[in-house]
Amino acid sequence: IKTTEQRQKWIYNSDDGTIRSIADGRCLTIEKETSNKRSTLITTSCEIHHSKSLDEGKNQQWTINTSDQTVVSQMDGKW
């Protein structure tokens, strides 16, 4: 059983742009974007190199800006 502390830790992989859970290695993923421009974030299996995945995996790729401490989706430039 993973502890709450483990489930709240993430690691950023600058090589592929993923943010992965320390607890199980799953990727932070934008599941869908609604009409009011809100997104649902979930963890799923990482599929960034799968050509048939949603948005060719861009929904699992992120850019971290350390100067202003923001995390931005490579899918739509938000978040």
Side-chain angles (χ1 to χ4, degrees), residues 32-49:
K32 60 184 174 181
E33 190 171 314
T34 63
S35 59
N36 60 2
K37 298 295 181 190
R38 294 186 182 253
S39 299
T40 302
L41 296 178
I42 60 172
T43 59
T44 61
S45 298
C46 300
E47 297 180 355
I48 62 166
H49 299 297

Side-chain angles (χ1 to χ4, degrees), residues 3-54:
T3 66
T4 299
E5 184 177 313
Q6 287 174 312
R7 291 191 304 253
Q8 294 176 352
K9 290 185 179 181
W10 301 85
I11 190 163
Y12 176 65
N13 182 333
S14 60
D15 292 332
D16 64 12
T18 59
I19 298 175
R20 296 176 187 247
S21 167
I22 293 290
D24 59 13
R26 292 166 62 91
C27 282
L28 183 64
T29 304
I30 297 175
E31 181 182 37
K32 60 184 174 181
E33 190 171 314
T34 63
S35 59
N36 60 2
K37 298 295 181 190
R38 294 186 182 253
S39 299
T40 302
L41 296 178
I42 60 172
T43 59
T44 61
S45 298
C46 300
E47 297 180 355
I48 62 166
H49 299 297
H50 191 283
S51 62
K52 297 199 187 284
S53 66
L54 179 65

